[in-house]
């Protein structure tokens, strides 16, 4: 069965390493904050000026003035710091973020990502995503594998306006974990109960399948 949004976030949380500084994009990525392993310490950065973002608040903890870049209310972790957007983007552009997690409309086998605009639809702009994909060494995309019509969003070549080029290395979708190597996606894991054949059917990009592909596990 395909993963739901929380399960995608839970699987991505396994990619976090002790000591990482991590930026979470809007949508599924923000849910990763709820699944940070208890045995590691990381600092979540929000480009609107917060380093040390915590889990989403309970009803009793909500502070309307404390929000992330997606304007969702958040909590602060111990040792959190506040600053202006200029300092926040200096961290990003200076390469001080170890991992960025972003959503996407499309990703292609050249490592390109389209995440900000569908022509003809109202858009607010790409926000800080362009800086994030340019400044982070390690980028993971959180997305559904196909659109609501079953058409692949993991393509040979993106059709939508790009956010960044040749920057994506890994995708965690509702069906699979994919890693991009030498211009081809390699299938690393599949969602529990999802067959390799279904993933192949819903992946337009070149997909390498080697050996038995394990199902994802959740801690």
């Amino acid at each position: 069965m395909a993963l739901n949004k929380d399960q995608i976030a839970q699987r991505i949380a396994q990619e976090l390493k002790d000591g990482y500084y991590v930026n979470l994009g809007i949508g599924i990525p923000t849910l990763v904050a709820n699944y940070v392993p208890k045995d590691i310490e990381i600092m979540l950065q929000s480009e609107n000026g917060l380093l040390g973002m915590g889990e989403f608040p309970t009803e009793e903890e909500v502070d309307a003035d404390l929000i992330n870049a997606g304007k969702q209310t958040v909590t602060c972790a111990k040792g959190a710091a506040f600053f202006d957007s200029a300092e926040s983007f200096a961290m990003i552009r200076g390469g001080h973020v170890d991992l960025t997690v972003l959503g996407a409309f499309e990703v292609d086998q050249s490592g390109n990502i389209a995440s900000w605009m569908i022509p003809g639809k109202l858009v607010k702009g790409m926000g800080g995503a362009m800086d994030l994909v340019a400044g982070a060494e390690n980028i993971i995309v959180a997305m559904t594998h196909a659109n609501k019509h079953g058409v692949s969003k993991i393509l040979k070549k993106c059709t939508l306006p790009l956010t960044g080029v040749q920057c994506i290395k890994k995708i965690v979708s509702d069906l699979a974990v994919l890693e991009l190597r030498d211009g081809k996606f390699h299938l690393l894991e599949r969602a529990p109960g999802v067959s390799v054949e279904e993933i192949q059917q819903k992946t337009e990009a070149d997909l390498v399948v080697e050996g038995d592909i394990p199902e994802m596990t959740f801690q």
Side-chain angles (χ1 to χ4, degrees):
M1 176 179 282
L3 304 183
N4 60 36
K5 292 179 180 178
D6 278 284
Q7 289 171 317
I8 294 173
Q10 194 174 356
R11 174 59 188 84
I12 290 173
Q14 296 177 24
E15 302 288 325
L16 304 175
K17 306 296 183 188
D18 192 39
Y20 264 14
Y21 290 84
V22 182
N23 185 289
L24 302 177
I26 296 169
I28 296 173
T30 58
L31 298 174
V32 175
N34 292 335
Y35 298 101
V36 177
K38 301 300 182 186
D39 59 344
I40 65 171
E41 289 189 10
I42 66 166
M43 293 295 273
L44 296 176
Q45 194 247 22
S46 181
E47 59 259 39
N48 62 324
L50 170 60
L51 183 64
M53 189 167 59
E55 299 177 355
F56 281 113
T58 64
E59 191 171 333
E60 293 75 22
E61 294 173 326
V62 169
D63 179 347
D65 292 325
L66 187 55
I67 59 173
N68 62 19
K71 299 181 176 55
Q72 298 168 301
T73 53
V74 294
T75 59
C76 289
K78 184 179 180 181
F82 299 92
F83 37 85
D84 62 32
S85 292
E87 288 183 275
S88 179
F89 278 92
M91 294 177 190
I92 294 168
R93 293 168 184 166
H96 303 293
V97 175
D98 298 298
L99 172 66
T100 291
V101 184
L102 291 173
F105 297 136
E106 295 177 344
V107 173
D108 71 28
Q109 62 192 47
S110 294
N112 302 324
I113 177 173
S115 66
W116 71 283
M117 180 186 182
I118 296 177
K121 293 193 175 183
L122 180 66
V123 295
K124 297 179 180 178
M126 66 173 64
M130 184 173 60
D131 291 279
L132 287 163
V133 297
E137 284 291 320
N138 191 6
I139 300 167
I140 297 176
V141 175
M143 64 188 300
T144 55
H145 213 94
N147 66 22
K148 61 183 179 182
H149 304 295
V151 178
S152 180
K153 295 163 64 176
I154 301 173
L155 308 172
K156 292 182 182 295
K157 186 175 182 180
C158 288
T159 63
L160 296 173
L162 296 182
T163 307
V165 297
Q166 299 180 351
C167 56
I168 302 305
K169 296 176 182 174
K170 184 173 280 188
I171 298 171
V172 178
S173 78
D174 55 340
L175 301 183
V177 178
L178 307 176
E179 187 170 68
L180 186 60
R181 303 177 201 155
D182 300 323
K184 294 181 180 178
F185 284 105
H186 290 245
L187 179 58
L188 302 184
E189 300 174 24
R190 54 192 172 88
V194 173
S195 68
V196 170
E197 290 73 21
E198 181 180 352
I199 295 166
Q200 289 172 315
Q201 183 184 18
K202 293 182 177 177
T203 306
E204 184 205 276
D206 293 333
L207 182 65
V208 177
V209 181
E210 295 177 324
D212 293 331
I213 305 301
E215 291 188 345
M216 299 179 204
T217 57
F218 299 92
Q219 300 173 347

